[in-house]
């Protein structure tokens, strides 16, 4: 992959064309025509879809520079070559392989000043790039504060410092999260004040002993549930005062795609996907959740389409204050946690995953006490019993460790399953309506078109195919295994019920009966 010798001037032509026909705005593909784009976080879940979407639907885009850090002794170019072999790029490989040459790997790391990019490459970016989309972030909820600040907040600061030097910059989009101000019951499309500045926080984490910082973290976070939400909020503050034509995209819970690159496509087990797979394999049997609350989710491809449209909007309007848009469902097509979990369970039973630990079962509760009891009875005790059997057969036990990780993961997400927020998305709707009819079709983002029952089926089949690598041909065998596990589960439950009845009779009713009989005998003697 070679760098282009010069920058094309398609975007200059488009601006002149707009001046001549002021009432006619360019379509998204027209606006991206001839432009050079820089993307950070392009190897992530949303990043892959964004890269493929730009190449598929904006065919005249000139170059897309993808900032990729070295990983496991693999250079950025090698990682890019591996990236384009994945599912989001399948149709491009088949139908438009030449477009993949527009992807240029740039060796860099957002945690470094100047993103750690070599001087020669930096000069190319400064002179040619007119659109920047920053998607780089670590989405783990349990990162130490110092690590989260350096990756998410300092990373954003480094991106802004670099792109302020870009001579042709027309649009900067920062991808945040709708859950970055969790203390607010109603989350509007606006910036919220922070109790501490990003610069102050970056200084604190780098000048404070890690043990002391760990003890200070709960107080620093305040009403934020974790370091991820806190550091994303700090990053937004940096964008708010960056002085660039900018926009902030705030997606809610991003899950499998609606239809691009494939129906339900997902490539990781974060968030709802991990919960779904764990429950479907019989590992998770209880969940702390207010089932009547609504879950706000956004399919990956719709979130990506809205992000691209926001870059177009910012480029056309050149806002003095960054535009904030919530990429949220916002009761346009509401779905409760109960419906999502029960429908997901229905489809998972009909299309089981290979290698289940046990037949799926259990449920959800809003009571922490009941949840704790259920974890003990249905997670901890079975794990120790089965690990004991595994140990007796001469194999290495593993279930106690698995259940410990499962319980830890459930504890990380229960904050989001037991609370409810109201997200305003008026700007998202207005932006969608401002698109041309063709753009609305190509860059679809209207969540009302989704039939959740059909979608959840596609989501489960895609998780089976892309996350677990279960070939569709394994379904008949998986169904036979599930039928066997159903019988075993039924026998165990009946046996457990009989055991409980015996315990109640032997240890409670029988002693009570004997005590009463003895008392009656004593009374009759007297």
């Amino acid at each position: 992959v070679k760098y282009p010798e010069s920058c094309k001037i398609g975007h200059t032509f488009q601006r002149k064309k707009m001046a001549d026909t002021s009432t006619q705005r360019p379509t998204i593909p027209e606006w991206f025509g001839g432009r050079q784009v820089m993307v950070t976080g392009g190897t992530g879940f949303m990043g892959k879809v964004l890269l493929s979407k730009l190449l598929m639907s904006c065919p005249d885009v000139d170059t897309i520079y993808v900032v990729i850090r070295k990983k496991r002794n693999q250079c950025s170019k090698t990682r890019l070559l591996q990236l384009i072999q994945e599912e989001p790029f399948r149709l491009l490989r088949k139908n438009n392989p030449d477009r993949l040459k527009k992807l240029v790997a740039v060796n860099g790391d957002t945690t470094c000043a100047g993103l750690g990019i070599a001087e020669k490459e930096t000069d190319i970016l400064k002179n040619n790039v007119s659109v920047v989309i920053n998607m780089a972030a670590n989405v783990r909820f349990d990162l130490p504060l110092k690590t989260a600040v350096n990756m998410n907040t300092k990373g954003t600061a480094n991106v802004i410092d670099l792109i302020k030097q870009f001579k042709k910059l027309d649009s900067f989009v920062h991808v945040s999260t709708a859950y970055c101000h969790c203390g607010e019951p109603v989350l509007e499309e606006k910036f919220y004040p922070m109790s501490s500045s990003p610069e102050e926080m970056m200084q604190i984490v780098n000048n404070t002993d890690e043990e002391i910082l760990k003890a200070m973290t709960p107080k620093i976070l305040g009403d934020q549930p974790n370091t991820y939400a806190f550091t994303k909020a700090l990053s937004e503050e940096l964008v708010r005062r960056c002085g660039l034509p900018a926009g902030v995209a705030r997606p809610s819970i991003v899950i499998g795609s609606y239809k691009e690159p494939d129906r339900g496509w997902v490539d990781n087990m974060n968030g709802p996907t991990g919960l779904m797979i764990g429950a479907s394999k019989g590992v998770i049997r209880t969940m702390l959740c207010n089932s009547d609350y609504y879950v706000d989710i956004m399919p990956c491809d719709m979130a990506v389409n809205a992000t691209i449209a926001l870059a177009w909007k910012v480029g056309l309007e050149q806002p003095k204050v960054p535009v904030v848009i919530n990429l949220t469902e916002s009761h346009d097509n509401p779905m409760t946690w109960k419906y999502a979990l029960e429908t997901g369970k229905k489809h998972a039973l009909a299309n089981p995953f290979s290698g289940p630990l046990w037949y799926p079962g259990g449920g959800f509760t809003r009571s922490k006490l009941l949840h704790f009891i259920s974890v003990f009875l249905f997670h901890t005790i079975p794990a120790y019993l089965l690990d004991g059997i595994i140990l007796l057969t001469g194999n290495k036990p593993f279930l106690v460790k698995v259940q410990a990780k499962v319980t830890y993961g459930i504890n990380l997400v229960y904050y989001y399953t037991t609370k409810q927020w109201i997200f305003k998305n008026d700007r998202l709707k207005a932006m969608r309506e401002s698109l041309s009819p063709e753009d609305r079709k190509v860059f679809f983002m209207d969540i009302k078109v989704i039939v959740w029952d059909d979608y959840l089926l596609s989501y489960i089949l895609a998780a089976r195919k892309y996350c677990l690598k279960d070939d569709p041909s394994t379904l008949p065998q998986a169904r036979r295994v599930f039928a066997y596990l159903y019988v075993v589960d039924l026998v165990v439950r009946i046996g457990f019920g009989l055991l409980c009845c015996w315990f109640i009779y032997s240890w409670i009713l029988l002693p009570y009966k004997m005590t009463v009989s003895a008392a009656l005998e004593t009374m009759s003697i007297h």
Side-chain angles (χ1 to χ4, degrees), residues 242-282:
C242 68
L244 300 170
V248 174
R250 285 183 184 158
S252 54
I253 303 172
V254 180
I255 57 173
S257 291
Y258 172 51
K259 59 180 178 180
E260 292 179 350
D262 191 9
R263 292 192 176 276
W265 177 82
V266 62
D267 72 341
N268 63 80
M269 287 190 274
N270 296 332
T273 307
L275 292 174
M276 175 185 70
I277 291 175
S280 299
K281 281 181 169 283

Side-chain angles (χ1 to χ4, degrees), residues 233-304:
L234 290 173
S235 301
E236 283 197 3
E237 176 63 15
L238 291 170
V239 177
R240 182 187 69 81
R241 44 189 171 84
C242 68
L244 300 170
V248 174
R250 285 183 184 158
S252 54
I253 303 172
V254 180
I255 57 173
S257 291
Y258 172 51
K259 59 180 178 180
E260 292 179 350
D262 191 9
R263 292 192 176 276
W265 177 82
V266 62
D267 72 341
N268 63 80
M269 287 190 274
N270 296 332
T273 307
L275 292 174
M276 175 185 70
I277 291 175
S280 299
K281 281 181 169 283
V283 178
I284 299 175
R285 309 189 73 79
T286 178
M287 181 176 173
L288 192 58
C289 172
N290 191 323
S291 59
D292 295 327
Y293 281 176
Y294 292 97
V295 53
D296 199 299
I297 56 179
M298 181 62 65
C300 179
D301 49 354
M302 288 190 175
V304 163

Side-chain angles (χ1 to χ4, degrees), residues 39-55:
V39 176
T40 65
T43 59
F45 177 40
M46 285 181 62
K48 299 169 187 176
V49 178
L50 182 130
L51 295 177
S52 64
K53 183 65 176 181
L54 283 174
L55 293 175

